[in-house]
Amino acid sequence: MINIDSKTKLLGVIGYPIEHSYSPQIHNYISEKMGLNYIYTSMKVSPADLKAAIDGVKSLGFTGVNVTVPHKTEVIKHLDSVDDAALEYGSVNTVKVKNKKLIGYSTDALGYFKSLTDTGFDIKGKDVLIIGAGGAARPICIKLINKGAKSISVKNRTKENTIRLCDYVQKTCGFKINDTPILSRYDLVINTTPVGMYPNTEASPLDDFSFIDKDTLVSDLIYNPGETLFLKRAKNRGAKIINGLGMLIYQAMYSYEIFTDTKLDFSLYNEIVENVFKETV
Ligand code: ATR
């Protein structure tokens, strides 16, 4: 159990809704393991209250906060500076207070990429299909492009949002994304939509799995359930699958490093899976 005293440093996550977040469990577990005097909580902040909340982070003396849906883009205008990657993604999930200044970072794509490379997958020269074109898709697209993906195609319900994503990526990295699936096969297929998430576990963001085979890596950002219908159906086609737990845990570990200026050992990852998620996912 963490001992809270007058020297305890404050961390937290701001989102709306926030009740589903596992970030407090992950961060408090890490603090306990590292023996660092931090406490991390969750704060439900509506879009109308975002500025006041971010100002409060500074005035209340927080070390930093994570920022989640729907604030990841909007928060940028309330910060003093934003690091290069977060600026390129147009998304911030980590805010650190340093010398009374609010600095924004993004660890989502870093976390996703670490979970991807953990499987042994090499993105260089690969064809990628991304399902969904929302806030989660953008940093991942850009990260995969920067790491050498050959092509990216997007499959999404609303054309307008697909075009917005394609235009954004073209503008920031000069890379042309296909606004519809144009290839007959892909090396990597990623679901970035919430379709299939608990409690709607009977839904899948994809109907036709015929282009998926044993050489496809299929990835779902959803971690609850651990195996979505989308992943089950891909597995039935012989594909290798990964869920969103890796991204969730790694983005938290990278944020923790930023907050506390410490380097974490990646062996902590398995411990977090065992101790924080054993009963829940
Ligand atoms: P954001 O990530 O921007 O906050 P979201 O509501 O989580 O938004 O949606 C992320 C992506 O999942 C979007 O591309 C969204 O499709 P639209 O662009 O058509 O809105 C997609 N999505 C969400 N719910 C969906 C559903 N029920 N069926 C298909 N796609 C869905």
Side-chain angles (χ1 to χ4, degrees):
M1 198 44 199
I2 296 168
N3 278 323
I4 301 170
D5 58 26
S6 55
K7 293 196 184 70
T8 303
K9 294 180 178 147
L10 304 173
L11 297 170
V13 57
I14 289 174
Y16 193 77
I18 199 63
E19 293 80 1
H20 64 283
S21 176
Y22 283 106
S23 294
Q25 289 97 311
I26 300 173
H27 282 263
N28 288 324
Y29 181 82
I30 299 173
S31 288
E32 204 175 331
K33 290 304 289 188
M34 300 292 290
L36 296 179
N37 194 2
Y38 286 85
I39 188 85
Y40 186 111
T41 188
S42 66
M43 293 160 281
K44 187 173 172 180
V45 173
S46 73
D49 289 328
L50 181 63
K51 187 187 179 330
I54 290 295
D55 288 345
V57 163
K58 189 153 65 174
S59 54
L60 290 171
F62 271 68
T63 296
V65 288
N66 285 122
V67 179
T68 190
V69 177
H71 303 311
K72 288 184 185 186
T73 298
E74 200 56 25
V75 72
I76 292 175
K77 66 166 78 121
H78 305 303
L79 304 179
D80 295 299
S81 66
V82 174
D83 98 324
D84 289 346
L87 202 59
E88 189 177 26
Y89 304 151
S91 174
V92 159
N93 78 329
T94 304
V95 176
K96 165 113 186 235
V97 186
K98 217 171 174 178
N99 304 325
K100 303 244 178 226
K101 299 274 188 227
L102 294 160
I103 307 167
Y105 303 85
S106 177
T107 66
D108 287 327
L110 206 56
Y112 178 73
F113 195 70
K114 170 76 178 140
S115 75
L116 195 65
T117 50
D118 272 3
T119 68
F121 185 82
D122 181 3
I123 188 66
K124 285 195 193 71
K126 299 295 195 309
D127 295 308
V128 182
L129 176 65
I130 300 214
I131 306 171
R138 196 164 64 191
I140 289 177
C141 272
I142 294 172
K143 184 79 178 174
L144 297 183
I145 290 164
N146 289 344
K147 289 290 182 179
K150 181 166 97 193
S151 79
I152 298 200
S153 305
V154 175
K155 180 180 169 8
N156 188 51
R157 180 178 58 179
T158 309
K159 196 74 189 173
E160 203 183 317
N161 293 338
T162 309
I163 301 297
R164 189 177 311 139
L165 173 67
C166 294
D167 287 351
Y168 185 92
V169 171
Q170 171 97 55
K171 211 169 72 197
T172 52
C173 351
F175 189 97
K176 190 173 174 335
I177 293 183
N178 304 312
D179 60 13
T180 188
I182 54 161
L183 302 180
S184 54
R185 74 167 305 282
Y186 293 92
D187 301 296
L188 173 64
V189 179
I190 312 166
N191 173 39
T192 68
T193 79
V195 180
M197 191 188 287
Y198 179 85
N200 300 313
T201 54
E202 296 305 308
S204 167
L206 190 69
D207 294 323
D208 178 10
F209 285 72
S210 61
F211 66 96
I212 287 172
D213 60 30
K214 65 172 183 34
D215 296 321
T216 324
L217 177 60
V218 176
S219 157
D220 201 328
L221 300 194
I222 296 170
Y223 52 85
N224 185 13
E227 203 168 292
T228 56
L229 180 58
F230 171 70
L231 289 184
K232 279 196 183 100
R233 293 189 63 187
K235 195 162 85 173
N236 286 341
R237 300 275 314 162
K240 192 168 178 178
I241 58 168
I242 51 167
N243 68 20
L245 193 59
M247 176 180 177
L248 174 73
I249 295 175
Y250 283 131
Q251 63 77 27
M253 290 176 72
Y254 287 125
S255 285
Y256 193 91
E257 290 187 333
I258 292 170
F259 289 144
T260 61
D261 288 317
T262 48
K263 194 89 195 110
L264 297 178
D265 191 325
F266 281 121
S267 63
L268 248 183
Y269 176 86
N270 288 328
E271 270 193 59
I272 294 169
V273 173
E274 271 294 302
N275 292 286
V276 178
F277 291 96
K278 199 172 179 183
E279 308 294 325
T280 43
V281 178

